[in-house]
Amino acid sequence: MKILIVDDSKAMRMIVSRVLRQAGYGTAEFVEGSNGVEGLAAARAGDIDLVLSDWNMPEMNGIEFLRALRAEGRDVRFGFVTSESTADMKEQAVLAGATFFITKPFTAEAFGEVLGAVTA
């Protein structure tokens, strides 16, 4: 499994990959991007199975990134890992094609439950 983690914080990308390993995804290959532009380039460059993206990022935010992926016909599973989680954000995400929302702070158990349901 190849997982793309997109967040403008390098520390958060490291935390997400560590928590994913703890949640049972230790054999996955992790690819990173610091914003939606880098995430889109990474998605174009390789076969990504799952995208985990922050919402608020410079250059191209998470929802713009998701919409750009979908506009290119890329149907990769996509979820947000973000500190904000309003009803409007969730509605926008679902309408754009997101599969799930994980709110920061998160646990390995939360990742395990959500990803177990979407990767099964």
Side-chain angles (χ1 to χ4, degrees):
M1 173 176 268
K2 195 170 190 179
I3 301 173
L4 173 58
I5 302 167
V6 183
D7 195 300
D8 56 322
S9 166
K10 174 70 174 168
M12 186 53 62
R13 292 192 307 269
M14 292 171 59
I15 290 167
V16 169
S17 17
R18 185 183 72 232
V19 170
L20 285 168
R21 286 186 193 90
Q22 293 170 348
Y25 293 86
T27 60
E29 177 184 347
F30 299 107
V31 180
E32 296 183 6
S34 64
N35 58 50
V37 173
E38 290 181 10
L40 191 56
R44 289 173 178 153
D47 292 329
I48 302 294
D49 299 299
L50 177 66
V51 177
L52 301 173
S53 178
D54 190 16
W55 187 283
N56 293 309
M57 299 178 288
E59 295 188 54
M60 179 186 284
N61 67 31
I63 193 69
E64 293 167 339
F65 170 37
L66 173 57
R67 288 176 179 148
L69 279 173
R70 296 300 186 244
E72 292 185 1
R74 299 182 189 279
D75 196 29
V76 63
R77 288 172 292 204
F78 191 107
F80 285 99
V81 180
T82 183
S83 55
E84 295 180 58
S85 180
T86 67
D88 181 56
M89 288 170 73
K90 287 182 179 180
E91 181 180 356
Q92 286 183 60
V94 168
L95 290 173
T99 310
F100 60 89
F101 239 89
I102 295 176
T103 306
K104 299 173 189 173
F106 46 76
T107 63
E109 292 77 21
F111 266 97
E113 286 175 26
V114 171
L115 297 182
V118 299
T119 60

Short mmCIF file of all heavy atoms in Angstrom, two decimals, residues 1-6 10 13-33 42 47-50 52 111 115:
data_model
loop_
_atom_site.label_atom_id
_atom_site.label_comp_id
_atom_site.label_asym_id
_atom_site.label_seq_id
_atom_site.Cartn_x
_atom_site.Cartn_y
_atom_site.Cartn_z
N MET A 1 0.85 -1.18 0.00
CA MET A 1 0.00 0.00 0.00
C MET A 1 0.89 1.24 0.00
O MET A 1 1.87 1.32 0.72
CB MET A 1 -0.91 0.01 1.23
CG MET A 1 -1.69 1.29 1.38
SD MET A 1 -2.85 1.27 2.74
CE MET A 1 -4.27 0.70 1.87
N LYS A 2 0.53 2.22 -0.82
CA LYS A 2 1.26 3.48 -0.91
C LYS A 2 0.36 4.60 -0.41
O LYS A 2 -0.72 4.83 -0.95
CB LYS A 2 1.68 3.72 -2.36
CG LYS A 2 2.72 4.77 -2.55
CD LYS A 2 3.21 4.72 -4.01
CE LYS A 2 4.41 5.58 -4.22
NZ LYS A 2 4.87 5.50 -5.62
N ILE A 3 0.81 5.28 0.66
CA ILE A 3 0.02 6.31 1.32
C ILE A 3 0.69 7.66 1.15
O ILE A 3 1.87 7.82 1.49
CB ILE A 3 -0.17 5.99 2.81
CG1 ILE A 3 -0.86 4.63 2.99
CG2 ILE A 3 -0.96 7.10 3.51
CD1 ILE A 3 -0.94 4.15 4.42
N LEU A 4 -0.06 8.63 0.65
CA LEU A 4 0.42 10.00 0.49
C LEU A 4 -0.08 10.83 1.66
O LEU A 4 -1.28 10.91 1.91
CB LEU A 4 -0.10 10.57 -0.84
CG LEU A 4 0.15 12.05 -1.12
CD1 LEU A 4 1.63 12.40 -1.09
CD2 LEU A 4 -0.47 12.43 -2.46
N ILE A 5 0.86 11.44 2.39
CA ILE A 5 0.54 12.29 3.54
C ILE A 5 0.87 13.73 3.15
O ILE A 5 2.03 14.04 2.83
CB ILE A 5 1.35 11.88 4.78
CG1 ILE A 5 1.06 10.42 5.14
CG2 ILE A 5 1.03 12.80 5.96
CD1 ILE A 5 2.02 9.83 6.15
N VAL A 6 -0.14 14.59 3.16
CA VAL A 6 0.05 15.98 2.74
C VAL A 6 -0.33 16.90 3.89
O VAL A 6 -1.48 16.94 4.32
CB VAL A 6 -0.80 16.30 1.48
CG1 VAL A 6 -0.53 17.72 1.01
CG2 VAL A 6 -0.50 15.30 0.37
N LYS A 10 6.02 19.51 8.72
CA LYS A 10 6.86 18.32 8.64
C LYS A 10 6.67 17.46 9.89
O LYS A 10 6.58 16.22 9.80
CB LYS A 10 8.34 18.73 8.48
CG LYS A 10 9.32 17.59 8.52
CD LYS A 10 9.23 16.71 7.31
CE LYS A 10 10.32 15.65 7.31
NZ LYS A 10 10.09 14.62 6.30
N ARG A 13 3.50 15.49 9.56
CA ARG A 13 3.65 14.37 8.61
C ARG A 13 4.37 13.21 9.28
O ARG A 13 3.99 12.05 9.10
CB ARG A 13 4.40 14.83 7.35
CG ARG A 13 3.61 15.81 6.51
CD ARG A 13 4.20 16.04 5.13
NE ARG A 13 5.59 16.41 5.09
CZ ARG A 13 6.06 17.65 5.11
NH1 ARG A 13 5.23 18.68 5.20
NH2 ARG A 13 7.36 17.88 5.04
N MET A 14 5.38 13.51 10.09
CA MET A 14 6.10 12.46 10.81
C MET A 14 5.19 11.79 11.84
O MET A 14 5.23 10.56 12.00
CB MET A 14 7.35 13.04 11.48
CG MET A 14 8.39 13.48 10.46
SD MET A 14 9.78 14.40 11.18
CE MET A 14 10.43 13.22 12.34
N ILE A 15 4.39 12.57 12.54
CA ILE A 15 3.47 12.01 13.53
C ILE A 15 2.44 11.11 12.86
O ILE A 15 2.17 10.00 13.33
CB ILE A 15 2.77 13.14 14.32
CG1 ILE A 15 3.78 13.84 15.24
CG2 ILE A 15 1.59 12.61 15.12
CD1 ILE A 15 3.28 15.16 15.83
N VAL A 16 1.88 11.56 11.75
CA VAL A 16 0.89 10.75 11.04
C VAL A 16 1.51 9.43 10.59
O VAL A 16 0.92 8.37 10.77
CB VAL A 16 0.28 11.52 9.84
CG1 VAL A 16 -0.55 10.61 8.96
CG2 VAL A 16 -0.57 12.68 10.34
N SER A 17 2.73 9.47 10.01
CA SER A 17 3.33 8.20 9.58
C SER A 17 3.62 7.28 10.77
O SER A 17 3.44 6.08 10.67
CB SER A 17 4.57 8.36 8.74
OG SER A 17 5.17 9.55 8.79
N ARG A 18 4.06 7.84 11.89
CA ARG A 18 4.32 7.02 13.07
C ARG A 18 3.03 6.38 13.58
O ARG A 18 2.99 5.18 13.89
CB ARG A 18 4.97 7.86 14.18
CG ARG A 18 5.37 6.99 15.39
CD ARG A 18 5.95 7.78 16.54
NE ARG A 18 4.89 8.53 17.18
CZ ARG A 18 4.92 9.84 17.44
NH1 ARG A 18 5.95 10.56 17.10
NH2 ARG A 18 3.89 10.43 18.01
N VAL A 19 1.96 7.16 13.64
CA VAL A 19 0.68 6.64 14.11
C VAL A 19 0.14 5.58 13.14
O VAL A 19 -0.43 4.58 13.56
CB VAL A 19 -0.33 7.79 14.35
CG1 VAL A 19 -1.72 7.27 14.61
CG2 VAL A 19 0.14 8.65 15.51
N LEU A 20 0.34 5.79 11.85
CA LEU A 20 -0.08 4.77 10.88
C LEU A 20 0.66 3.46 11.10
O LEU A 20 0.06 2.38 11.03
CB LEU A 20 0.17 5.27 9.45
CG LEU A 20 -0.83 6.31 8.94
CD1 LEU A 20 -0.32 6.94 7.66
CD2 LEU A 20 -2.20 5.70 8.75
N ARG A 21 1.95 3.54 11.39
CA ARG A 21 2.71 2.31 11.69
C ARG A 21 2.14 1.61 12.92
O ARG A 21 1.97 0.40 12.94
CB ARG A 21 4.19 2.63 11.88
CG ARG A 21 4.90 2.95 10.59
CD ARG A 21 6.42 3.13 10.80
NE ARG A 21 7.03 3.71 9.64
CZ ARG A 21 7.19 5.02 9.43
NH1 ARG A 21 6.78 5.89 10.32
NH2 ARG A 21 7.73 5.47 8.32
N GLN A 22 1.82 2.41 13.95
CA GLN A 22 1.24 1.86 15.18
C GLN A 22 -0.13 1.25 14.92
O GLN A 22 -0.54 0.32 15.61
CB GLN A 22 1.11 2.95 16.26
CG GLN A 22 2.43 3.47 16.77
CD GLN A 22 2.27 4.72 17.64
OE1 GLN A 22 1.20 5.34 17.69
NE2 GLN A 22 3.34 5.09 18.32
N ALA A 23 -0.82 1.76 13.93
CA ALA A 23 -2.18 1.29 13.60
C ALA A 23 -2.14 0.07 12.68
O ALA A 23 -3.19 -0.41 12.25
CB ALA A 23 -2.99 2.41 12.96
N GLY A 24 -0.95 -0.42 12.37
CA GLY A 24 -0.85 -1.64 11.57
C GLY A 24 -0.47 -1.43 10.11
O GLY A 24 -0.54 -2.35 9.32
N TYR A 25 -0.04 -0.23 9.77
CA TYR A 25 0.34 0.07 8.38
C TYR A 25 1.85 0.22 8.23
O TYR A 25 2.32 1.00 7.40
CB TYR A 25 -0.40 1.32 7.89
CG TYR A 25 -1.88 1.09 7.78
CD1 TYR A 25 -2.72 1.25 8.88
CD2 TYR A 25 -2.44 0.64 6.60
CE1 TYR A 25 -4.08 0.99 8.80
CE2 TYR A 25 -3.80 0.37 6.50
CZ TYR A 25 -4.61 0.55 7.61
OH TYR A 25 -5.96 0.29 7.52
N GLY A 26 2.59 -0.55 9.01
CA GLY A 26 4.04 -0.47 9.01
C GLY A 26 4.70 -0.90 7.72
O GLY A 26 5.82 -0.50 7.41
N THR A 27 4.02 -1.72 6.92
CA THR A 27 4.60 -2.17 5.66
C THR A 27 4.24 -1.23 4.49
O THR A 27 4.72 -1.44 3.38
CB THR A 27 4.12 -3.59 5.31
OG1 THR A 27 2.69 -3.58 5.19
CG2 THR A 27 4.56 -4.59 6.37
N ALA A 28 3.45 -0.21 4.77
CA ALA A 28 3.06 0.73 3.72
C ALA A 28 4.25 1.59 3.33
O ALA A 28 5.17 1.83 4.12
CB ALA A 28 1.92 1.63 4.20
N GLU A 29 4.22 2.08 2.10
CA GLU A 29 5.20 3.05 1.63
C GLU A 29 4.57 4.42 1.81
O GLU A 29 3.43 4.65 1.39
CB GLU A 29 5.52 2.80 0.15
CG GLU A 29 6.48 3.81 -0.43
CD GLU A 29 6.72 3.61 -1.92
OE1 GLU A 29 6.34 2.56 -2.46
OE2 GLU A 29 7.27 4.53 -2.54
N PHE A 30 5.31 5.33 2.45
CA PHE A 30 4.80 6.67 2.71
C PHE A 30 5.46 7.67 1.78
O PHE A 30 6.67 7.68 1.61
CB PHE A 30 5.03 7.07 4.17
CG PHE A 30 4.33 6.18 5.15
CD1 PHE A 30 5.04 5.28 5.93
CD2 PHE A 30 2.95 6.22 5.28
CE1 PHE A 30 4.39 4.44 6.82
CE2 PHE A 30 2.29 5.38 6.18
CZ PHE A 30 3.02 4.50 6.95
N VAL A 31 4.63 8.51 1.17
CA VAL A 31 5.08 9.60 0.31
C VAL A 31 4.54 10.87 0.95
O VAL A 31 3.44 10.87 1.50
CB VAL A 31 4.51 9.43 -1.12
CG1 VAL A 31 4.97 10.55 -2.03
CG2 VAL A 31 4.89 8.08 -1.69
N GLU A 32 5.30 11.96 0.88
CA GLU A 32 4.88 13.19 1.54
C GLU A 32 4.81 14.38 0.60
O GLU A 32 5.50 14.43 -0.41
CB GLU A 32 5.86 13.54 2.67
CG GLU A 32 5.91 12.53 3.78
CD GLU A 32 6.84 12.95 4.91
OE1 GLU A 32 7.37 14.08 4.88
OE2 GLU A 32 7.03 12.15 5.83
N GLY A 33 3.97 15.34 0.99
CA GLY A 33 3.88 16.64 0.33
C GLY A 33 3.57 17.68 1.37
O GLY A 33 2.91 17.39 2.37
N ALA A 42 2.78 14.43 -6.51
CA ALA A 42 3.08 13.07 -6.02
C ALA A 42 2.03 12.08 -6.50
O ALA A 42 2.36 10.94 -6.88
CB ALA A 42 3.17 13.07 -4.50
N ASP A 47 1.48 5.38 -8.22
CA ASP A 47 0.21 4.75 -7.86
C ASP A 47 -0.03 4.90 -6.37
O ASP A 47 0.52 4.15 -5.56
CB ASP A 47 0.24 3.26 -8.24
CG ASP A 47 0.25 3.06 -9.74
OD1 ASP A 47 -0.32 3.91 -10.45
OD2 ASP A 47 0.83 2.07 -10.20
N ILE A 48 -0.84 5.87 -6.02
CA ILE A 48 -1.17 6.13 -4.62
C ILE A 48 -2.46 5.39 -4.30
O ILE A 48 -3.43 5.47 -5.05
CB ILE A 48 -1.34 7.65 -4.39
CG1 ILE A 48 -0.07 8.44 -4.77
CG2 ILE A 48 -1.76 7.94 -2.95
CD1 ILE A 48 1.14 8.15 -3.92
N ASP A 49 -2.47 4.68 -3.17
CA ASP A 49 -3.66 3.95 -2.74
C ASP A 49 -4.55 4.75 -1.81
O ASP A 49 -5.75 4.52 -1.72
CB ASP A 49 -3.24 2.65 -2.03
CG ASP A 49 -2.47 1.74 -2.94
OD1 ASP A 49 -3.02 1.33 -3.97
OD2 ASP A 49 -1.29 1.45 -2.63
N LEU A 50 -3.94 5.69 -1.08
CA LEU A 50 -4.66 6.43 -0.06
C LEU A 50 -4.00 7.78 0.13
O LEU A 50 -2.77 7.86 0.19
CB LEU A 50 -4.66 5.65 1.26
CG LEU A 50 -5.30 6.30 2.48
CD1 LEU A 50 -6.80 6.44 2.30
CD2 LEU A 50 -4.99 5.48 3.73
N LEU A 52 -3.95 11.12 2.72
CA LEU A 52 -4.32 11.75 3.99
C LEU A 52 -3.85 13.18 3.91
O LEU A 52 -2.66 13.44 3.76
CB LEU A 52 -3.64 11.04 5.17
CG LEU A 52 -3.93 9.56 5.32
CD1 LEU A 52 -3.06 8.95 6.40
CD2 LEU A 52 -5.40 9.35 5.64
N PHE A 111 -7.17 5.87 13.75
CA PHE A 111 -6.71 5.59 12.40
C PHE A 111 -7.05 4.15 12.02
O PHE A 111 -7.51 3.89 10.91
CB PHE A 111 -5.20 5.80 12.27
CG PHE A 111 -4.83 7.17 11.78
CD1 PHE A 111 -4.48 8.16 12.68
CD2 PHE A 111 -4.83 7.47 10.43
CE1 PHE A 111 -4.13 9.41 12.24
CE2 PHE A 111 -4.48 8.73 9.98
CZ PHE A 111 -4.13 9.70 10.88
N LEU A 115 -9.44 3.64 8.87
CA LEU A 115 -8.76 3.07 7.69
C LEU A 115 -9.13 1.62 7.48
O LEU A 115 -9.19 1.17 6.34
CB LEU A 115 -7.25 3.25 7.80
CG LEU A 115 -6.77 4.71 7.82
CD1 LEU A 115 -5.26 4.77 7.88
CD2 LEU A 115 -7.29 5.48 6.65
#
